[in-house]
Amino acid sequence: MEKTSQISGYYKLPREERLRRLAEFAGLGPEEMEALVSGLSVEQAEKMVENVVATFKLPLGMAVNFLVNGKEYIVPMATEETSVVAAASNAAKMCRATGGFKATTTEPIMIGQIQLLTKDAKKAKKAVEDNREKIIALANTKDQKLVSLGGGARDVEARIVKAAGGDMLIIHLLVDVRDAMGANAVNTMCEAVSPLIEEATRGKTRLKIISNLADRRLARSEVRVSKEELGGAEVVDAIIDAYEFAAADPYRAVTHNKGAMNGITAVTIATGNDSRAVEAGAHAYACRDGRYMPLTRWEKDADGNLAGEIEMPLALGIVGGATMNPTARMSLKILRVKSARELSEVAASVGLAQNLAALRALSTEGIQRGHMGLHAKNIAMMAGAKGADIERVAGIMVKEKNVNVNRAKELLEAGK
Ligand code: MEV
């Protein structure tokens, strides 16, 4: 029987016990646990970027309770923000009773762009179209490994784009990148086919680079949550009002999407993926119809329960690039994902859960109460509290709704 990701009171366990339960769930051996805890060494970091002097650490929390397409997931999340991991876990728990998340992805097709300067863009477009097969074949000679895994260049498209200095021909090379994020494969292919395109069109190619608007590589997830789990019919209505606010007002939609990205970016970083690429793609996709819109949608179903979905580009890989980081490798092992598509299905579900948690909190009690617990502990420690004093001082400050260092110092003194 599959192990469950529903570990009740996971947050209350001591860290060593959390790690032990996690290792049991994911089948981590002692060396893997060690790799997870120690993370990237300075020596490894030196092979990744230039001028290294140290590594930068972030908290890595585990979101529990995720059920996606009937499979159990504990989700590693790297984030500096209080409440994000707890909120994702809580929302995932509410979604379990109705079967969890149902997620899908399109084929992992990335777009490489080639900018062609030409006097006659129409003629050049025809020349590119006439050479479609040749371009694809040449691109595929550049990454036989990818081709052997079932990926590779699939198609060529050309568009005439009106730019300030005149028409340009923009050629898109569509590449199935399988389990990679894909930037390396796509950029190499674009550079390799450019001489052929120049010869065929008698034009001059300039930029050859992947597009981060990965709208051929979409992830979708949907969920149904019962009104009882959410706290009643009024909560369902309040969440829908909150969604409608975002759908009507870009100032709100950006924050709404930021909340979903709290989850998606945390998974992206934990798995060693490129969070800037994912963020850029998400926000551009949110704007695809000319107006910035929420990435999620929420409505009431015929039984008065809440139904929601998310759709967005997700260029996540499970091989290559920074996924070689030991923490990232362990995160992928904990996730037990077999493909990049599966990883994107989980990440999209985390985004939907995160958005649900934020809308529920905001439309009912507000988010500050949830945020205050850990914040108050930090303030207590800043004031010098140690051991049991941290909980005591933080607890009083939260109750008083007065969380600041001076008050923490007073309470510490009073407790001596
Ligand atoms: C905070 O990081 C995220 C929220 O602002 C998201 C939202 O407003 O929906 C709480």
Side-chain angles (χ1 to χ4, degrees):
M1 210 179 81
E2 198 186 6
K3 288 179 193 134
T4 176
S5 66
Q6 192 172 22
I7 308 178
S8 118
Y10 191 66
Y11 69 102
K12 289 191 208 143
L13 299 174
R15 191 173 55 79
E16 288 73 20
E17 181 57 14
R18 264 187 231 136
L19 188 57
R20 200 190 61 73
R21 296 278 193 100
L22 177 67
E24 199 177 274
F25 175 86
L28 302 183
E31 275 175 25
E32 291 172 319
M33 285 160 80
E34 173 58 29
L36 176 66
V37 174
S38 23
L40 187 71
S41 68
V42 183
E43 292 72 31
Q44 288 163 326
E46 280 199 273
K47 296 195 182 78
M48 293 171 72
V49 308
E50 306 72 31
N51 301 355
V52 165
V53 295
T55 56
F56 182 91
K57 293 199 178 183
L58 270 179
L60 183 72
M62 297 293 145
V64 291
N65 302 328
F66 273 88
L67 188 61
V68 181
N69 295 335
K71 182 169 165 183
E72 299 281 351
Y73 295 92
I74 292 183
V75 184
M77 301 177 78
T79 180
E80 87 300 341
E81 188 170 332
T82 302
S83 294
V84 165
V85 179
S89 303
N90 286 339
K93 191 172 174 189
M94 285 187 252
C95 298
R96 286 181 75 92
T98 31
F101 300 86
K102 308 267 176 299
T104 56
T105 40
T106 61
E107 294 287 321
I109 303 283
M110 295 298 287
I111 300 167
Q113 294 198 291
I114 299 163
Q115 177 194 29
L116 184 86
L117 304 184
T118 167
K119 291 209 173 63
D120 190 339
K122 259 196 190 153
K123 210 163 145 198
K125 184 171 188 288
K126 167 104 182 34
V128 168
E129 284 160 1
D130 288 347
N131 282 274
R132 178 183 166 275
E133 301 280 319
K134 260 192 179 168
I135 296 169
I136 294 172
L138 178 59
N140 281 333
T141 62
K142 292 291 151 189
D143 200 332
Q144 286 174 358
K145 172 99 192 288
L146 182 62
V147 173
S148 76
L149 293 168
R154 292 278 187 264
D155 210 350
V156 178
E157 294 172 350
R159 285 179 302 135
I160 297 171
V161 169
K162 296 212 172 305
D167 287 355
M168 287 175 190
L169 189 70
I170 304 301
I171 299 140
H172 282 185
L173 184 65
L174 305 186
V175 184
D176 181 331
V177 297
R178 294 284 93 195
D179 284 327
M181 183 273 182
N184 269 333
V186 170
N187 294 341
T188 305
M189 286 182 178
C190 286
E191 290 188 7
V193 298
S194 286
L196 170 58
I197 291 174
E198 288 189 346
E199 196 188 297
T201 60
R202 310 243 170 261
K204 171 89 193 109
T205 61
R206 287 266 171 82
L207 273 61
K208 297 125 196 159
I209 187 75
I210 197 162
S211 170
N212 291 124
L213 179 50
D215 62 0
R216 309 290 176 99
R217 193 181 191 180
L218 296 177
R220 299 187 181 91
S221 181
E222 55 180 55
V223 79
R224 216 160 269 277
V225 204
S226 75
K227 49 183 179 294
E228 290 78 20
E229 283 287 338
L230 286 164
E234 330 65 79
V235 181
V236 174
D237 290 337
I239 291 172
I240 290 166
D241 285 343
Y243 160 68
E244 283 174 1
F245 175 13
D249 176 7
Y251 283 92
R252 174 58 206 153
V254 170
T255 324
H256 176 107
N257 288 344
K258 189 271 184 188
M261 296 311 290
N262 274 344
I264 292 169
T265 301
V267 177
T268 303
I269 295 174
T271 53
N273 275 288
D274 181 343
S275 57
R276 288 85 56 214
V278 170
E279 297 265 355
H283 295 294
Y285 194 69
C287 226
R288 65 193 178 283
D289 296 326
R291 206 160 76 82
Y292 191 93
M293 292 294 282
L295 290 165
T296 64
R297 278 175 293 278
W298 294 99
E299 60 181 30
K300 201 181 340 192
D301 73 8
D303 303 320
N305 298 320
L306 186 70
E309 61 179 17
I310 187 169
E311 179 186 280
M312 60 182 289
L314 262 178
L316 295 176
I318 61 165
V319 293
T323 61
M324 295 320 289
N325 177 322
T327 317
R329 291 249 56 88
M330 287 310 107
S331 291
L332 288 167
K333 172 127 200 212
I334 292 162
L335 279 160
R336 306 178 306 151
V337 289
K338 300 277 182 291
S339 66
R341 291 179 67 175
E342 187 183 351
L343 174 59
S344 295
E345 287 162 8
V346 176
S349 305
V350 174
L352 188 59
Q354 206 76 56
N355 178 238
L356 169 64
L359 297 190
R360 181 169 179 268
L362 286 166
S363 60
T364 55
E365 62 180 16
I367 58 160
Q368 282 311 80
R369 200 177 70 88
H371 267 72
M372 274 304 147
L374 268 184
H375 176 61
K377 282 189 202 166
N378 282 329
I379 298 289
M381 285 194 279
M382 276 167 66
K386 294 204 173 64
D389 268 343
I390 301 173
E391 291 278 345
R392 181 182 66 79
V393 170
I396 300 173
M397 289 194 296
V398 169
K399 226 182 224 154
E400 292 177 351
K401 294 195 177 160
N402 181 18
V403 182
N404 65 69
V405 179
N406 284 342
R407 182 65 185 138
K409 282 185 177 156
E410 279 172 20
L411 290 167
L412 256 183
E413 270 308 305
K416 275 187 183 154

